[in-house]
Amino acid sequence: ISAAGTKIEELAGSIGTDEADLKSATLVREKETADFTASEAELMDVIDTLGRAITVIYREMAKNPAAFAQTNTKTISGLVKTLSTIVDAASFFLQDKNKGQSTRRSMH
């Protein structure tokens, strides 16, 4: 009976530890979900903005196809730099997402 009592105490301690680990992991996942949701919303907004910009560019090119031949190259290089920054930001987001997923997998 004494051995059974000891085993019960060990299992109760183990359950307490597991519950604490579960609570901690749940908090981490909730924070990651909130971060992901915010980043996703921001990226979706950027994608929407780029889509509208492309539509405007096509519309303007249809009106005057030679307009881009007259465009200041400094303006185009600024546009390319801006788009590169957006792509870089998206890649960091994906790296963070993949890192978070691998962390979650290692916790299981």
Side-chain angles (χ1 to χ4, degrees), residues 6-54:
T6 303
K7 184 67 173 176
I8 290 172
E9 289 176 15
E10 288 174 6
L11 291 173
S14 177
I15 289 171
T17 301
D18 289 346
E19 287 176 348
D21 290 346
L22 176 62
K23 184 177 179 180
S24 175
T26 300
L27 291 174
V28 168
R29 288 188 182 106
E30 288 172 352
K31 182 186 180 313
E32 288 174 345
T33 299
D35 291 346
F36 172 80
T37 302
S39 296
E40 181 183 36
E42 184 178 343
L43 286 173
M44 294 303 290
D45 185 45
V46 168
I47 290 169
D48 183 53
T49 301
L50 289 173
R52 288 192 311 255
I54 289 168

Side-chain angles (χ1 to χ4, degrees), residues 63-74:
K63 289 180 192 175
N64 185 6
F68 277 95
Q70 302 169 3
T71 303
N72 182 347
T73 57
K74 289 182 181 180

